[in-house]
Amino acid sequence: MTATGRVGAAASAAWHSFLRRWTAVFFTFFFPVILIVIFGVLVGTRPTGGGLFTEPPAYYVPGYLAVVVLFTPLSRIGSTVARHREGNRFEKLATTPLSRSEWLLAQTLVNVVIIGLASLLILGLVVLLTGANVALSVITVPFVVVAVALFCGMGALIGSLADSQDGVIAASNSLALPLLFLSDTFVPPELLPEWFRPVMNLSPLTYFARGLRAVATGGGGWQFDLGILCVLALVFFALGAYALPRTD
């Protein structure tokens, strides 16, 4: 079997495994919807008033997308790796032609499909419920794909280093929550201390949010952010594949 066939077979198995977990399917799409309802509808934005949400609705579109782009790969890949370790599945995987990088690529492809569907749902709800003026562009696709690959690699690292599935969940949430709100997503840099603003550039999610915001609002300069994301995705994917255990 060719590498393409191996990756395709592994991706098909991972996809059907996801569909069998109804709770995971439900909350993958339900969580960002709740976020939009709370922040976009109940709280709302006040461009001419005070408060946290003072920007136009389109400004927060990257933040909503960042929820699924960040949380879903970290939790799904991390938990899958931890579950495979506990079930001695990597020991069995070592006896097959499927390499660790091919296994991680298959998992990443499944996450790209899942998060792509969730992103379409989010964009539709944001436009429908908040009236955001979003400039839809095909450039959104590579931003989502590259960011998913990046955080899948990061999730593989967490799953390989954590001692249990509970440890994966704790580590993922401890990493994801600060990244979500301190990466130029929902909180504009102007509202943060001046000394902290350069620190935001250390977060991969910052380049996703800034680049996608430029695309969503019809601006320019997104090429730099996409380039940084691509480099970081290659690095973290390679590290995640390398960290996957050969045996248990």
Side-chain angles (χ1 to χ4, degrees):
M1 183 181 289
T2 64
T4 303
R6 293 193 298 270
V7 171
S12 177
W15 172 254
H16 287 92
S17 176
F18 169 72
L19 293 180
R20 286 194 295 269
R21 300 176 182 274
W22 289 103
T23 303
V25 174
F26 177 76
F27 282 102
T28 296
F29 297 97
F30 180 72
F31 182 55
V33 170
I34 285 297
L35 212 64
I36 294 172
V37 171
I38 293 175
F39 293 126
V41 179
L42 298 181
V43 176
T45 59
R46 299 175 178 84
T48 59
L52 178 60
F53 287 82
T54 58
E55 302 291 339
Y59 180 92
Y60 301 101
V61 170
Y64 296 131
L65 293 180
V67 173
V68 289
V69 165
L70 175 63
F71 278 87
T72 302
L74 286 184
S75 61
R76 289 198 72 251
I77 297 297
S79 297
T80 299
V81 172
R83 190 167 59 248
H84 276 44
R85 290 173 58 194
E86 293 174 0
N88 296 321
R89 297 185 185 180
F90 283 111
E91 189 172 78
K92 300 173 183 177
L93 181 65
T95 64
T96 71
L98 188 70
S99 67
R100 291 176 295 173
S101 59
E102 290 172 347
W103 181 88
L104 184 55
L105 177 58
Q107 300 294 324
T108 300
L109 292 175
V110 172
N111 276 272
V112 166
V113 174
I114 295 170
I115 295 168
L117 294 174
S119 298
L120 289 175
L121 174 63
I122 290 170
L123 287 172
L125 287 176
V126 168
V127 173
L128 180 65
L129 299 179
T130 70
N133 185 18
V134 181
L136 296 178
S137 171
V138 294
I139 304 171
T140 304
V141 176
F143 268 98
V144 172
V145 171
V146 173
V148 170
L150 191 161
F151 291 112
C152 279
M154 196 176 293
L157 275 172
I158 294 174
S160 300
L161 298 176
D163 57 357
S164 65
Q165 292 190 54
D166 289 339
V168 168
I169 295 173
S172 297
N173 290 336
S174 298
L175 176 65
L177 284 174
L179 285 180
L180 181 62
F181 292 102
L182 298 177
S183 299
D184 200 2
T185 48
F186 293 105
V187 182
E190 294 77 17
L191 298 182
L192 296 171
E194 187 174 352
W195 64 265
F196 184 80
R197 295 173 193 172
V199 180
M200 299 176 70
N201 294 322
L202 300 178
S203 168
L205 201 62
T206 293
Y207 300 99
F208 172 80
R210 286 178 181 172
L212 201 56
R213 183 171 295 117
V215 174
T217 56
W222 53 265
Q223 295 88 345
F224 173 78
D225 297 294
L226 183 58
I228 295 295
L229 268 183
C230 288
V231 173
L232 292 175
L234 289 173
V235 171
F236 278 100
F237 186 90
L239 290 175
Y242 180 79
L244 291 175
R246 295 181 181 274
T247 56
D248 303 287

